[in-house]
Amino acid sequence: QVQLVESGGGSVQAGGSLKLSCVASGDRYRRRCMAWFRQVQGKEREGVAAICTTDTAIYGDSVNGRFIITKDNAKDTLYMEMYSLEPEDTDMYYCAAQSRPWLTGINPHDFGYWGQGTQVTVSS
C-alpha cells in the first residue's frame, strides 16, 4: 500500500507563494507517477500537476506556468511550488499516486492513492 501526507498549505494574500510537500511511503511501484489535485467542495477534483519517475512533468491549463512540481526521491517527497497565487487558487490540495509509470493526462480516476489534503486560501 501507499501512504501520502501533505503539508505546507496556509493562508496568503494574492500574489504570494506557497510550497506544498507530500511525504510518501509504501510500495514504490505503486507510486511511479504522482500528482497534485485540487478540489472545492462539491466539485470534481482538478488535476494541477503531475510527475513520474522519468521526471517528465505535465501541468493543468489553470496553472499557466505559475506552479512547479518537483520530487526528491531520496526523501520520498513530492513538492509543488506555487507562485503568483490568486483567490481562484483557493482550494483543498491533494497529493495522489498511481502505479502506471506514464501519464496520459492528470485524471483523478487514474490515481488510486490519495492523501488527506492541505488547505490553501488566497485572499484578495
Side-chain angles (χ1 to χ4, degrees):
Q1 295 298 315
V2 172
Q3 294 78 41
L4 305 170
V5 179
E6 304 98 331
S7 63
S11 297
V12 296
Q13 290 191 325
S17 61
L18 282 173
K19 183 175 182 178
L20 305 183
S21 300
C22 172
V23 178
S25 60
D27 190 347
R28 290 179 181 271
Y29 289 98
R30 296 179 184 268
R31 46 186 172 97
R32 285 184 283 188
C33 286
M34 296 185 69
W36 289 99
F37 290 83
R38 61 188 184 183
Q39 182 178 30
V40 173
Q41 191 173 9
K43 293 188 177 181
E44 188 171 325
R45 289 184 179 180
E46 174 191 3
V48 178
I51 190 168
C52 296
T53 52
T54 57
D55 287 336
T56 301
I58 61 174
Y59 296 90
D61 292 339
S62 62
V63 170
N64 290 330
R66 299 180 296 120
F67 295 180
I68 301 171
I69 187 171
T70 58
K71 58 184 176 67
D72 185 330
N73 294 327
K75 296 182 178 179
D76 280 330
T77 303
L78 179 74
Y79 301 100
M80 186 162 70
E81 299 169 67
M82 305 187 294
Y83 300 97
S84 300
L85 285 163
E86 305 166 349
E88 292 75 19
D89 294 316
T90 295
D91 268 318
M92 183 71 82
Y93 284 73
Y94 296 90
C95 174
Q98 68 171 37
S99 58
R100 193 172 61 185
W102 67 86
L103 294 165
T104 57
I106 318 175
N107 187 333
H109 302 291
D110 292 335
F111 290 79
Y113 302 97
W114 295 85
Q116 293 300 307
T118 185
Q119 178 68 38
V120 172
T121 303
V122 185
S123 59
S124 58

